[in-house]
Amino acid sequence: MTAAISHLPWSQESLFAKARLYVGKMESHTANDWQYGLWSALALELIARAALAHFSPVLLADASNWRNLTYALGHEPTAKKFNANSIGSSEVISRLNELYPEFTAELAGFCTQHIKRRNSELHTGELIFSELGTSQWLPSFYLAIQVLLKLMGLELKHFVSDAPGAQKMIDAFEDRTAKAVEQDIKAHQKVWTNKSNEEREAAVEQAKVWATRQSGHRVNCPACQSPALLQGNSSGVVATQVDEGEIVQKQTMLPTSFECIACGLRIAGLSKLAACGLGDAFTSTSVYTAAEYFDLFTEDDLEEAKRNASSMYEEDFNE
């Protein structure tokens, strides 16, 4: 029978408690103190691990040794000198990004970068957090923390001492993002309207051909209304169904970038895309034959294999 895991080192409860301890250490320093940034990075990794453990502590186990899996499930070690190993922080973030749509590629990128700053602070001669202003990371830190807490059914008030202040910082950050995108769109609109009719028509025709031939989700550009493309990352489960002998798989995609070759507008990041109405999820559809889906050999494959095999051997006239 599996033992209770609530008090194990890889449990959500244990990781969350330690993350709260570390964020308390962070808040005991002033924001311009290098230790403020260092403790924030340590707390961020622990809260990320807690969120992954919320899905299942097994996901924290390094699969190279099956005993790590049993340890995560709450069993006592069955081998002498066994030391449990968990996955690295980059893999934790990657798994969160795939399992939870709310934990976007933007947030994953920030978390990865912030944890790398911690590594540089601890393992190199760089003074990362002494030279880095909080405006460059603190709003994103609070936003990432807010999303990770939400995955566990918690709020900022359960983790930081000044939740209203943190929320104001998040709101201001999102407002700045929206204004920056709006200004960028207006700038491209101005350039577009200054083009001649012939130039615009040629650019639209080129955009139609490009958007048709390239992979991505077709949308209209918010600046010039020409056909443009969204790219995204897969999110959530894959839905599989059989339709007239073919296997169809569909998966939700969250937008990550936008490009319009007609006016040159480019936007990166879900928060910016959402601010200009391009943040809606879309669906990626893939269609396979049974042979493709199950990696089976078709009759043509078998015939080709026979022909290739026969050319490798000389005829035997001994019978």
Side-chain angles (χ1 to χ4, degrees), residues 27-106:
E27 293 173 342
S28 68
H29 297 277
T30 58
N32 60 348
D33 190 322
W34 65 270
Q35 294 185 70
Y36 186 85
L38 177 60
W39 284 110
S40 75
L42 294 169
L44 179 61
E45 179 176 352
L46 286 170
I47 202 68
R49 289 180 179 273
L52 190 57
H54 177 74
F55 193 97
S56 175
V58 172
L59 290 173
L60 292 171
D62 182 347
S64 63
N65 186 338
W66 64 269
R67 296 178 184 86
N68 292 323
L69 299 172
T70 59
Y71 176 84
L73 287 169
H75 292 284
E76 294 294 328
T78 55
K80 294 179 179 178
K81 298 182 179 179
F82 170 72
N83 291 306
N85 290 319
S86 62
I87 58 176
S89 57
S90 60
E91 183 62 20
V92 170
I93 293 166
S94 176
R95 295 183 184 188
L96 285 169
N97 177 230
E98 184 169 334
L99 290 170
Y100 295 107
E102 304 93 324
F103 191 72
T104 64
E106 273 181 287

Side-chain angles (χ1 to χ4, degrees), residues 215-219 230-235 237-241 248-255 280-286:
S215 61
H217 180 62
R218 291 186 67 178
V219 294
L230 278 175
Q231 302 295 339
N233 286 340
S234 56
S235 174
V237 299
V238 178
T240 304
Q241 62 184 34
V248 180
Q249 290 196 310
K250 296 183 178 183
Q251 188 171 26
T252 297
M253 304 289 289
L254 290 180
D280 291 341
F282 57 93
T283 301
S284 172
T285 302
S286 300

Side-chain angles (χ1 to χ4, degrees), residues 216-230:
H217 180 62
R218 291 186 67 178
V219 294
N220 290 330
C221 175
C224 69
Q225 301 305 309
S226 302
L229 288 179
L230 278 175

Side-chain angles (χ1 to χ4, degrees), residues 100-122:
Y100 295 107
E102 304 93 324
F103 191 72
T104 64
E106 273 181 287
L107 291 176
F110 165 75
C111 291
T112 299
Q113 182 185 40
H114 203 55
I115 292 171
K116 284 182 178 179
R117 290 171 181 149
R118 176 209 65 185
N119 293 340
S120 296
E121 185 72 50
L122 293 175

Side-chain angles (χ1 to χ4, degrees), residues 209-316:
V209 175
W210 173 80
T212 301
R213 292 179 177 176
Q214 301 293 320
S215 61
H217 180 62
R218 291 186 67 178
V219 294
N220 290 330
C221 175
C224 69
Q225 301 305 309
S226 302
L229 288 179
L230 278 175
Q231 302 295 339
N233 286 340
S234 56
S235 174
V237 299
V238 178
T240 304
Q241 62 184 34
V242 179
D243 184 12
E244 297 182 356
E246 294 181 322
I247 298 171
V248 180
Q249 290 196 310
K250 296 183 178 183
Q251 188 171 26
T252 297
M253 304 289 289
L254 290 180
T256 56
S257 63
F258 165 88
E259 181 178 8
C260 173
I261 66 164
C263 69
L265 178 64
R266 294 183 179 182
I267 303 172
L270 180 57
S271 61
K272 293 181 180 179
L273 292 168
C276 63
L278 294 173
D280 291 341
F282 57 93
T283 301
S284 172
T285 302
S286 300
V287 181
Y288 308 93
T289 65
E292 291 171 335
Y293 186 79
F294 293 106
D295 290 327
L296 302 176
F297 289 109
T298 63
E299 291 186 10
D300 291 340
D301 292 332
L302 293 173
E303 288 300 323
E304 183 179 355
K306 289 179 182 178
R307 289 194 298 270
N308 292 337
S310 63
S311 65
M312 296 172 62
Y313 300 96
E314 296 181 357
E315 293 186 50
D316 186 351

Side-chain angles (χ1 to χ4, degrees), residues 131-152:
E131 300 171 353
L132 188 68
T134 55
S135 63
Q136 298 181 56
W137 64 267
L138 192 55
S140 296
F141 169 79
Y142 282 132
L143 180 58
I145 290 295
Q146 183 181 55
V147 171
L148 291 168
L149 289 170
K150 187 177 180 180
L151 299 180
M152 297 182 283

